[in-house]
């Protein structure tokens, strides 16, 4: 009986040793890839660049293997935020988008493994930009505004701002400057459809925020051809009939009116 038991035990130990040997051999034949990648969450302005960090270990048994790594950036909402192959984010519109970086590791024997990390990017609405204009006039500067809502005028000389409710009838804002000095006047708020700013010795005007504007009276100012071209570049492209009056400016005859007409504006060069 004891002899038989010894034989059984020896056979059992042989089997256990063979299994352990097979496990060791199989383990030494298996390529292990451990990859961890992490990404930092950011809030995007106009353009942001995201970065990632990674930890990669590639082994076959006790031997380290060479490997290659590739990175892919994706956005689940490109209408809000786009991301390119370098992780550069471009703001498109207010909202949220999930940005994901995927790291793929390929060992020298062809074994592949991927790891990814994501974060949410929040694109905040841009604050409304004012209409801006510059003048060096000494004396009365008068602005007429038609539209809706509350419009605030900052005269750019440290005086108190003026706020008025505008309507389909012209609302007048006036400031009498005591001396000639370059100033920037800003109009903010409301929905402006008609702007009267003639005879104010204006040298620049930016109406890019006035998306409802359909009539702009800026004749008899001091706009050069370059200034008028810059102004045309800020005009909106809404589908309404739109007119701009530029007569009596130094640059009236030399300006590129096609910049405005290509946006659907009728350009009137008559001086009043």
């Amino acid at each position: 009986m004891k002899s038989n038991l010894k034989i059984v035990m020896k056979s059992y130990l042989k089997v256990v040793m063979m299994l352990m040997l097979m496990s060791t051999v199989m383990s030494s034949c298996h390529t292990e890839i451990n990859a961890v990648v992490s990404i930092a969450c950011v809030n995007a302005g106009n353009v942001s660049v995201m970065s990632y960090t990674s930890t990669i270990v590639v082994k076959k048994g006790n031997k380290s293997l060479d490997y290659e790594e590739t990175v892919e950036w994706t956005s689940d909402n490109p209408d809000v935020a786009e991301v390119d192959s370098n992780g550069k984010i471009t703001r498109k519109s207010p909202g949220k988008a999930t940005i994901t970086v995927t790291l793929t590791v390929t060992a020298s024997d062809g074994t592949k493994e991927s790891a990814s990390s994501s974060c949410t990017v929040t694109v905040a609405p841009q604050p409304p930009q004012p209409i801006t204009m510059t003048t060096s006039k000494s004396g009365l500067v008068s602005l007429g505004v038609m539209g809706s809502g509350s419009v605030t005028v900052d005269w750019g000389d440290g005086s108190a701002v003026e706020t008025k409710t505008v309507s389909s009838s012209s609302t007048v804002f006036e400031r009498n400057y005591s001396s000639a000095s370059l100033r920037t006047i800003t109009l903010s708020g409301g929905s402006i459809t008609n702007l009267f700013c003639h005879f104010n010795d204006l040298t620049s005007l930016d109406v890019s925020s006035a998306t409802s504007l359909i009539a702009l009276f800026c004749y008899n100012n001091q706009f050069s051809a370059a200034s008028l071209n810059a102004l045309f570049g800020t005009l909106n492209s809404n589908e309404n009939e739109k007119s701009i009056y530029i007569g009596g400016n130094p640059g009236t005859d030399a300006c590129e009116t096609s910049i405005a007409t290509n946006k659907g504006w009728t350009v009137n060069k008559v001086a009043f």
Side-chain angles (χ1 to χ4, degrees):
M1 177 68 73
K2 290 183 178 180
S3 177
N4 290 338
L5 182 59
K6 287 182 179 180
I7 293 173
V8 171
M9 289 298 294
K10 287 181 178 180
S11 298
Y12 175 75
L13 290 173
K14 286 182 179 181
V15 171
V16 171
M17 291 177 67
M18 288 178 64
L19 290 174
M20 290 176 65
L21 179 60
M22 290 175 62
S23 176
T24 301
V25 171
M26 291 177 64
S27 176
S28 65
C29 294
H30 176 66
T31 299
E32 295 183 2
I33 299 177
N34 294 315
V36 178
V37 61
S38 60
I39 186 174
C41 293
V42 299
N43 288 331
N46 287 331
V47 175
S48 297
V49 178
M50 302 194 72
S51 60
Y52 72 95
T53 57
S54 63
T55 302
I56 303 171
V57 177
V58 180
K59 297 176 66 177
K60 192 169 188 177
N62 294 323
K63 180 182 178 181
S64 296
L65 295 183
D66 293 334
Y67 61 88
E68 293 182 354
E69 58 181 290
T70 58
V71 174
E72 180 184 19
W73 293 90
T74 57
S75 169
D76 74 338
N77 196 351
D79 289 337
V80 169
E82 289 182 340
V83 61
D84 68 9
S85 59
N86 296 313
K88 184 176 76 172
I89 297 174
T90 302
R91 173 192 177 278
K92 304 293 288 186
S93 62
K96 293 185 177 182
T98 299
I99 305 299
T100 300
V101 59
T102 301
L103 175 68
T104 300
V105 179
T106 304
S108 57
D109 66 356
T111 304
K112 289 186 178 182
E113 191 69 49
S114 295
S116 62
S117 180
S118 300
C119 77
T120 300
V121 170
T122 301
V123 181
Q126 293 295 303
Q129 299 299 308
I131 294 173
T132 60
M133 59 190 77
T134 55
T135 182
S136 297
K137 184 177 182 180
S138 174
L140 183 66
V141 171
S142 179
L143 304 173
V145 178
M146 295 171 61
S148 61
S150 180
V151 173
T152 297
V153 176
D154 184 335
W155 295 104
D157 61 350
S159 61
V161 300
E162 264 188 274
T163 301
K164 296 181 180 180
T165 299
V166 301
S167 66
S168 57
S169 299
S170 181
T171 299
V172 178
F173 296 81
E174 292 184 338
R175 176 65 176 161
N176 200 339
Y177 293 115
S178 60
S179 61
S181 179
L182 182 64
R183 303 174 179 89
T184 299
I185 303 168
T186 62
L187 285 75
S188 57
S191 176
I192 298 176
T193 58
N194 298 56
L195 177 60
F196 305 85
C197 53
H198 45 287
F199 291 108
N200 285 323
D201 290 350
L202 300 182
T203 53
S204 71
L205 176 59
D206 184 333
V207 294
S208 54
S209 64
T211 56
S212 299
L213 192 67
I214 57 173
L216 178 56
F217 301 84
C218 53
Y219 54 86
N220 292 94
N221 279 294
Q222 294 298 318
F223 293 115
S224 65
S227 295
L228 285 171
N229 292 342
L231 166 58
F232 297 154
T234 69
L235 294 172
N236 66 59
S237 300
N238 68 46
E239 297 180 354
N240 298 314
E241 292 186 5
K242 307 176 289 290
S243 299
I244 180 171
Y245 298 82
I246 63 169
N249 284 289
T252 296
D253 294 331
C255 65
E256 297 289 338
T257 57
S258 60
I259 301 173
T261 57
N262 288 340
K263 295 183 174 185
W265 286 77
T266 298
V267 179
N268 192 318
K269 291 186 175 183
V270 175
F272 293 89

